[in-house]
Amino acid sequence: METDLLSGKKILLGVTGCIAAYKSCLLVRELILRGAEVKVVMTPSAHHFITPLTLSTLSRNPVITEIFPKDSSQQNTWHIETALWADVMLIAPCTINTIAKIANGFADNALTTLVTAMRGEVIISPAADVDMYEYPITKSNITKLTEIGFHFIDADSGELASGLEGKGRLPELQKIIDSLETVLSGYKKDLTGKKILVTAGPTYEDIDPVRYIGNRSSGKMGLKIAHAAYLRGADVTLISGPTQLSSYQGINRINVRSASEMKNSVISEFEKNDVLIMSAAVADYKPENKSSSKIKKEDSLISISLTKTDDILSSLNKGNKIVVGFALETDNEVINAENKLKFKNLDLIVLNSLKESGSGFEVDTNKVVIIGKDKSKIELPLMSKFQTAHKIIDELLKLYKL
Ligand code: CTP
């Protein structure tokens, strides 16, 4: 397996003074587990919410809190050395006060001083109460910083510490870590303005109110594609079969159960989108009749007659849209995938072989071959499903002017 992208990366984590500061502990823990080196810098207000001792213990490094060294024999160039050490700086959570200072070039504490000295990318994940987050000056500060190359992670909506409902929550950690990985991989917002429809997960074909015919798809690959496209600026609609997995806020998610529900949703969303990535494992057969009451043992059922579901991809009027399919194969993989690409009128097909260890259902990694209309083949090494998702998007962008 390719090593984790975060392994060995030097991450400077800025923590500012708001209630979400307690979540920085979990963030540091996760980064350390992924093999990153972490140094934390705190603003004076952050101390009201969390102690340097907690963060130094978790990060295994002293926490930077002071702008000037306590010992006058030390040189005061720590900020230059630390900024040069870091591959990336992530400020999470970042208050609107710190955003305002950064937008105006202040270097009045250890954290803001480090921002001004950074050569690597800086990612800001704001957290505030709804009115503070929506405050026009905050918004214009965020716009200003975005224009000069700072990366922002949109706050989530929901119940805030004040009891109010609205936008301003620190996003779930996975979204922050995925954003970090995306920036560290060098990806930009190259899908801004593009509308991408992704399907994910299995479909369930009901036998009776209790039982169904399903498959082992977990939905992970499709979800990672939706997430990677979203972080690269796309407007993403996700049509998901039954899965336990949550998707980022900001993704328009439509939950479906059966192949026919998925077909109806794909058809109604297809027109509004530029690209369809059909990664769902759609059932090919469904029970001919669904029993409206539970089938009892005494009913001496001996067989269930099945009928074919409609092939969703083949029923689309493709026009000039880009359509990507998936092929899950165990035998004659490439030939089968090429046939599917041709018969389903696809632009690309992503071949998943169940024979490869570490790829396929339920796992977090995948090893795929991306096949083009011209029979071009990109064989990707075993990598995380998130990195695979980015590579599929890269191929899409290389082949088609989106
Ligand atoms: N697909 C679809 N509608 C179906 C079944 C599959 O649109 N009823 C799509 C899948 O989402 C995938 C592609 O077709 O993008 C290939 O799916 P796969 O299950 O590999 O192939 P099938 O066409 O179902 O053929 P087989 O099961 O015989 O391999």
Side-chain angles (χ1 to χ4, degrees):
M1 153 99 185
E2 233 192 24
T3 49
D4 189 322
L5 198 116
L6 292 182
S7 175
K9 290 289 182 309
K10 298 182 174 69
I11 296 161
L12 181 56
L13 177 68
V15 180
T16 68
C18 66
I19 185 61
Y22 79 91
K23 295 184 184 167
S24 59
C25 299
L26 302 170
L27 191 52
V28 173
R29 184 86 191 109
E30 183 62 22
L31 294 174
I32 295 288
L33 285 174
R34 297 271 307 261
E37 277 184 62
V38 182
K39 286 187 183 174
V40 179
V41 53
M42 293 172 76
T43 60
S45 325
H47 296 228
H48 291 291
F49 298 91
I50 186 163
T51 71
L53 183 62
T54 314
L55 291 171
S56 64
T57 309
L58 291 170
S59 67
R60 302 170 187 166
N61 269 314
V63 169
I64 305 162
T65 55
E66 302 296 329
I67 191 164
F68 299 110
K70 286 204 172 99
D71 178 352
S72 59
S73 68
Q74 282 179 282
Q75 285 186 334
N76 197 25
T77 53
W78 64 272
H79 53 301
I80 305 298
E81 283 139 31
T82 310
L84 291 179
W85 167 88
D87 294 314
V88 66
M89 182 171 188
L90 167 67
I91 312 175
C94 190
T95 59
I96 62 159
N97 185 43
T98 294
I99 292 172
K101 287 182 184 182
I102 298 170
N104 288 286
F106 280 71
D108 64 340
N109 62 36
L111 187 149
T112 50
T113 302
L114 277 168
V115 172
T116 61
M118 276 296 295
R119 288 192 181 173
E121 306 286 330
V122 180
I123 306 166
I124 298 179
S125 189
D129 215 275
V130 53
D131 300 300
M132 299 166 79
Y133 187 70
E134 304 287 359
Y135 183 50
I137 294 179
T138 305
K139 283 189 164 175
S140 77
N141 286 334
I142 293 177
T143 306
K144 180 176 171 186
L145 288 170
T146 305
E147 280 167 6
I148 56 173
F150 283 79
H151 304 269
F152 275 85
I153 308 173
D154 224 18
D156 274 358
S157 296
E159 197 197 346
L160 301 161
S162 61
L164 294 177
E165 285 277 333
K167 206 166 180 181
R169 287 171 64 96
L170 191 75
E172 47 154 331
L173 292 189
Q174 192 58 51
K175 186 174 173 186
I176 298 177
I177 290 175
D178 288 347
S179 304
L180 183 67
E181 200 174 320
T182 301
V183 170
L184 276 168
S185 306
Y187 293 117
K188 304 270 182 255
K189 301 259 181 205
D190 47 5
L191 291 177
T192 302
K194 302 295 169 235
K195 290 177 181 294
I196 303 208
L197 178 61
V198 182
T199 67
T203 63
Y204 288 175
E205 310 305 321
D206 290 335
I207 298 169
D208 68 10
V210 180
R211 306 167 183 100
Y212 60 84
I213 299 173
N215 62 64
R216 290 179 53 201
S217 168
S218 60
K220 277 184 183 169
M221 191 63 240
L223 231 91
K224 295 292 178 189
I225 293 172
H227 287 173
Y230 176 87
L231 293 177
R232 287 167 75 164
D235 182 351
V236 179
T237 298
L238 171 70
I239 301 175
S240 174
T243 140
Q244 301 298 318
L245 304 173
S246 60
S247 38
Y248 302 159
Q249 273 191 13
I251 287 181
N252 168 30
R253 178 167 176 161
I254 302 166
N255 289 324
V256 297
R257 181 170 175 86
S258 63
S260 79
E261 278 178 29
M262 185 167 280
K263 181 185 168 197
N264 292 340
S265 293
V266 170
I267 288 174
S268 75
E269 295 300 314
F270 188 60
E271 263 312 301
K272 304 174 210 161
N273 284 276
D274 305 306
V275 178
L276 165 65
I277 304 180
M278 191 78 198
S279 74
V282 187
D284 292 327
Y285 294 93
K286 62 178 180 183
E288 202 159 24
N289 297 302
K290 178 189 163 189
S291 169
S292 57
S293 48
K294 187 184 172 196
I295 299 166
K296 304 295 288 175
K297 260 191 288 197
E298 302 86 73
D299 292 348
S300 67
L301 179 83
I302 47 163
S303 64
I304 302 168
S305 43
L306 300 176
T307 172
K308 269 194 177 168
T309 59
D310 294 337
D311 191 282
I312 301 173
L313 282 172
S314 306
S315 58
L316 294 172
N317 182 6
K318 185 173 172 288
N320 58 0
K321 298 191 189 291
I322 295 166
V323 179
V324 180
F326 271 67
L328 183 73
E329 305 291 342
T330 54
D331 306 288
N332 304 319
E333 290 102 328
V334 172
I335 293 172
N336 281 334
E338 283 175 348
N339 285 337
K340 282 178 189 171
L341 179 131
K342 193 166 155 209
F343 294 122
K344 298 188 188 222
N345 192 17
L346 306 175
D347 296 292
L348 282 181
I349 193 152
V350 181
L351 167 62
N352 242 296
S353 170
L354 270 188
K355 281 185 178 162
E356 299 279 357
S357 72
S359 77
F361 296 127
E362 289 149 4
V363 290
D364 289 322
T365 51
N366 214 351
K367 188 169 186 302
V368 302
V369 182
I370 305 173
I371 304 175
K373 263 186 188 167
D374 56 353
K375 302 203 168 182
S376 61
K377 290 178 195 62
I378 313 284
E379 282 196 43
L380 298 180
L382 186 67
M383 54 175 76
S384 73
K385 283 188 173 164
F386 188 56
Q387 282 298 321
T388 307
H390 274 305
K391 300 281 182 204
I392 294 168
I393 294 170
D394 286 350
E395 286 315 309
L396 208 71
L397 285 168
K398 256 190 242 161
L399 285 170
Y400 302 96
K401 273 232 156 318
L402 279 181

mmCIF file of all heavy atoms in Angstrom, residues 278-280 282-284 309-313 325-329 340 344, ligand 1:
data_model
loop_
_atom_site.group_PDB
_atom_site.id
_atom_site.type_symbol
_atom_site.label_atom_id
_atom_site.label_comp_id
_atom_site.label_asym_id
_atom_site.label_seq_id
_atom_site.Cartn_x
_atom_site.Cartn_y
_atom_site.Cartn_z
ATOM 1 N N MET A 278 -21.229 7.026 -11.934
ATOM 2 C CA MET A 278 -22.177 5.999 -11.481
ATOM 3 C C MET A 278 -21.410 4.895 -10.751
ATOM 4 O O MET A 278 -21.036 3.878 -11.319
ATOM 5 C CB MET A 278 -22.866 5.484 -12.747
ATOM 6 C CG MET A 278 -24.049 4.625 -12.557
ATOM 7 S SD MET A 278 -25.546 5.513 -12.134
ATOM 8 C CE MET A 278 -26.485 4.145 -11.497
ATOM 9 N N SER A 279 -21.142 5.136 -9.468
ATOM 10 C CA SER A 279 -20.357 4.126 -8.753
ATOM 11 C C SER A 279 -21.234 3.183 -7.927
ATOM 12 O O SER A 279 -20.722 2.286 -7.265
ATOM 13 C CB SER A 279 -19.295 4.794 -7.878
ATOM 14 O OG SER A 279 -19.904 5.360 -6.761
ATOM 15 N N ALA A 280 -22.544 3.390 -7.964
ATOM 16 C CA ALA A 280 -23.434 2.522 -7.169
ATOM 17 C C ALA A 280 -23.417 1.096 -7.698
ATOM 18 O O ALA A 280 -23.252 0.867 -8.893
ATOM 19 C CB ALA A 280 -24.858 3.066 -7.205
ATOM 20 N N VAL A 282 -25.744 -1.303 -8.402
ATOM 21 C CA VAL A 282 -27.200 -1.418 -8.581
ATOM 22 C C VAL A 282 -27.571 -2.890 -8.766
ATOM 23 O O VAL A 282 -26.907 -3.611 -9.520
ATOM 24 C CB VAL A 282 -27.638 -0.619 -9.837
ATOM 25 C CG1 VAL A 282 -29.156 -0.572 -9.950
ATOM 26 C CG2 VAL A 282 -27.048 0.788 -9.820
ATOM 27 N N ALA A 283 -28.634 -3.309 -8.100
ATOM 28 C CA ALA A 283 -29.072 -4.711 -8.246
ATOM 29 C C ALA A 283 -29.504 -4.966 -9.682
ATOM 30 O O ALA A 283 -30.125 -4.110 -10.316
ATOM 31 C CB ALA A 283 -30.244 -4.979 -7.302
ATOM 32 N N ASP A 284 -29.170 -6.135 -10.183
ATOM 33 C CA ASP A 284 -29.581 -6.497 -11.544
ATOM 34 C C ASP A 284 -30.920 -7.210 -11.556
ATOM 35 O O ASP A 284 -31.580 -7.283 -12.581
ATOM 36 C CB ASP A 284 -28.522 -7.411 -12.180
ATOM 37 C CG ASP A 284 -27.228 -6.652 -12.437
ATOM 38 O OD1 ASP A 284 -27.309 -5.451 -12.731
ATOM 39 O OD2 ASP A 284 -26.141 -7.258 -12.325
ATOM 40 N N THR A 309 -33.915 -5.733 -13.273
ATOM 41 C CA THR A 309 -34.134 -4.290 -13.061
ATOM 42 C C THR A 309 -33.726 -3.594 -14.359
ATOM 43 O O THR A 309 -33.043 -4.195 -15.203
ATOM 44 C CB THR A 309 -33.248 -3.755 -11.915
ATOM 45 O OG1 THR A 309 -31.881 -4.016 -12.275
ATOM 46 C CG2 THR A 309 -33.557 -4.426 -10.597
ATOM 47 N N ASP A 310 -34.081 -2.322 -14.494
ATOM 48 C CA ASP A 310 -33.629 -1.570 -15.684
ATOM 49 C C ASP A 310 -32.174 -1.194 -15.503
ATOM 50 O O ASP A 310 -31.744 -0.878 -14.388
ATOM 51 C CB ASP A 310 -34.433 -0.270 -15.832
ATOM 52 C CG ASP A 310 -35.891 -0.553 -16.129
ATOM 53 O OD1 ASP A 310 -36.186 -1.655 -16.636
ATOM 54 O OD2 ASP A 310 -36.714 0.333 -15.829
ATOM 55 N N ASP A 311 -31.422 -1.184 -16.593
ATOM 56 C CA ASP A 311 -30.049 -0.700 -16.516
ATOM 57 C C ASP A 311 -30.101 0.832 -16.584
ATOM 58 O O ASP A 311 -30.551 1.403 -17.582
ATOM 59 C CB ASP A 311 -29.214 -1.272 -17.673
ATOM 60 C CG ASP A 311 -27.748 -0.990 -17.448
ATOM 61 O OD1 ASP A 311 -27.307 0.167 -17.701
ATOM 62 O OD2 ASP A 311 -27.044 -1.889 -16.971
ATOM 63 N N ILE A 312 -29.673 1.466 -15.503
ATOM 64 C CA ILE A 312 -29.836 2.929 -15.404
ATOM 65 C C ILE A 312 -28.993 3.638 -16.469
ATOM 66 O O ILE A 312 -29.487 4.506 -17.191
ATOM 67 C CB ILE A 312 -29.464 3.426 -13.981
ATOM 68 C CG1 ILE A 312 -30.357 2.726 -12.946
ATOM 69 C CG2 ILE A 312 -29.590 4.941 -13.893
ATOM 70 C CD1 ILE A 312 -30.002 2.989 -11.493
ATOM 71 N N LEU A 313 -27.715 3.261 -16.559
ATOM 72 C CA LEU A 313 -26.817 3.945 -17.509
ATOM 73 C C LEU A 313 -27.349 3.834 -18.939
ATOM 74 O O LEU A 313 -27.344 4.813 -19.682
ATOM 75 C CB LEU A 313 -25.403 3.367 -17.419
ATOM 76 C CG LEU A 313 -24.576 3.839 -16.222
ATOM 77 C CD1 LEU A 313 -23.267 3.057 -16.127
ATOM 78 C CD2 LEU A 313 -24.282 5.338 -16.310
ATOM 79 N N GLY A 325 -18.668 5.154 -15.636
ATOM 80 C CA GLY A 325 -19.254 3.975 -15.007
ATOM 81 C C GLY A 325 -18.198 3.223 -14.213
ATOM 82 O O GLY A 325 -16.995 3.513 -14.301
ATOM 83 N N PHE A 326 -18.635 2.275 -13.447
ATOM 84 C CA PHE A 326 -17.742 1.388 -12.704
ATOM 85 C C PHE A 326 -17.992 -0.033 -13.172
ATOM 86 O O PHE A 326 -19.108 -0.359 -13.587
ATOM 87 C CB PHE A 326 -18.012 1.477 -11.193
ATOM 88 C CG PHE A 326 -17.212 2.551 -10.515
ATOM 89 C CD1 PHE A 326 -17.449 3.884 -10.787
ATOM 90 C CD2 PHE A 326 -16.201 2.215 -9.609
ATOM 91 C CE1 PHE A 326 -16.702 4.878 -10.176
ATOM 92 C CE2 PHE A 326 -15.451 3.200 -8.988
ATOM 93 C CZ PHE A 326 -15.697 4.528 -9.273
ATOM 94 N N ALA A 327 -16.978 -0.859 -13.116
ATOM 95 C CA ALA A 327 -17.175 -2.276 -13.435
ATOM 96 C C ALA A 327 -16.517 -3.083 -12.335
ATOM 97 O O ALA A 327 -15.339 -2.893 -12.034
ATOM 98 C CB ALA A 327 -16.539 -2.612 -14.774
ATOM 99 N N LEU A 328 -17.314 -3.918 -11.722
ATOM 100 C CA LEU A 328 -16.771 -4.767 -10.665
ATOM 101 C C LEU A 328 -16.695 -6.175 -11.235
ATOM 102 O O LEU A 328 -17.720 -6.744 -11.607
ATOM 103 C CB LEU A 328 -17.699 -4.731 -9.458
ATOM 104 C CG LEU A 328 -17.189 -5.513 -8.278
ATOM 105 C CD1 LEU A 328 -16.029 -4.788 -7.633
ATOM 106 C CD2 LEU A 328 -18.289 -5.690 -7.255
ATOM 107 N N GLU A 329 -15.487 -6.690 -11.366
ATOM 108 C CA GLU A 329 -15.324 -7.959 -12.063
ATOM 109 C C GLU A 329 -14.478 -8.929 -11.241
ATOM 110 O O GLU A 329 -13.651 -8.515 -10.425
ATOM 111 C CB GLU A 329 -14.622 -7.739 -13.418
ATOM 112 C CG GLU A 329 -15.302 -6.714 -14.324
ATOM 113 C CD GLU A 329 -16.652 -7.168 -14.862
ATOM 114 O OE1 GLU A 329 -16.924 -8.381 -14.831
ATOM 115 O OE2 GLU A 329 -17.436 -6.296 -15.281
ATOM 116 N N LYS A 340 -18.573 -3.066 -21.264
ATOM 117 C CA LYS A 340 -19.555 -2.229 -20.554
ATOM 118 C C LYS A 340 -19.432 -0.780 -20.995
ATOM 119 O O LYS A 340 -20.430 -0.087 -21.186
ATOM 120 C CB LYS A 340 -19.350 -2.334 -19.034
ATOM 121 C CG LYS A 340 -19.917 -3.617 -18.457
ATOM 122 C CD LYS A 340 -19.680 -3.744 -16.964
ATOM 123 C CE LYS A 340 -20.074 -5.147 -16.506
ATOM 124 N NZ LYS A 340 -19.695 -5.434 -15.142
ATOM 125 N N LYS A 344 -22.690 0.709 -22.701
ATOM 126 C CA LYS A 344 -23.413 1.680 -21.868
ATOM 127 C C LYS A 344 -23.091 3.116 -22.302
ATOM 128 O O LYS A 344 -23.464 4.071 -21.617
ATOM 129 C CB LYS A 344 -23.087 1.465 -20.386
ATOM 130 C CG LYS A 344 -23.537 0.076 -19.890
ATOM 131 C CD LYS A 344 -23.396 -0.085 -18.394
ATOM 132 C CE LYS A 344 -23.657 -1.513 -17.974
ATOM 133 N NZ LYS A 344 -24.461 -1.629 -16.768
HETATM 134 N N1 CTP B 1 -25.502 -0.113 -13.560
HETATM 135 C C1 CTP B 1 -26.651 0.570 -13.907
HETATM 136 N N2 CTP B 1 -27.861 -0.043 -13.785
HETATM 137 C C2 CTP B 1 -27.954 -1.319 -13.390
HETATM 138 C C3 CTP B 1 -26.785 -2.051 -13.058
HETATM 139 C C4 CTP B 1 -25.558 -1.402 -13.158
HETATM 140 O O1 CTP B 1 -26.565 1.728 -14.312
HETATM 141 N N3 CTP B 1 -29.153 -1.873 -13.275
HETATM 142 C C5 CTP B 1 -24.204 0.589 -13.669
HETATM 143 C C6 CTP B 1 -23.341 0.540 -12.413
HETATM 144 O O2 CTP B 1 -23.605 1.616 -11.549
HETATM 145 C C7 CTP B 1 -21.925 0.618 -13.000
HETATM 146 C C8 CTP B 1 -22.057 -0.065 -14.332
HETATM 147 O O3 CTP B 1 -23.464 -0.067 -14.666
HETATM 148 O O4 CTP B 1 -21.494 1.934 -13.223
HETATM 149 C C9 CTP B 1 -21.569 -1.508 -14.337
HETATM 150 O O5 CTP B 1 -22.164 -2.206 -13.271
HETATM 151 P P1 CTP B 1 -21.816 -3.742 -13.000
HETATM 152 O O6 CTP B 1 -22.622 -4.206 -11.838
HETATM 153 O O7 CTP B 1 -20.322 -3.911 -12.959
HETATM 154 O O8 CTP B 1 -22.287 -4.420 -14.328
HETATM 155 P P2 CTP B 1 -23.673 -4.881 -14.872
HETATM 156 O O9 CTP B 1 -24.060 -4.020 -16.018
HETATM 157 O O10 CTP B 1 -24.666 -4.965 -13.753
HETATM 158 O O11 CTP B 1 -23.323 -6.328 -15.436
HETATM 159 P P3 CTP B 1 -22.847 -7.657 -14.644
HETATM 160 O O12 CTP B 1 -23.490 -7.583 -13.267
HETATM 161 O O13 CTP B 1 -23.388 -8.742 -15.485
HETATM 162 O O14 CTP B 1 -21.346 -7.614 -14.603
#
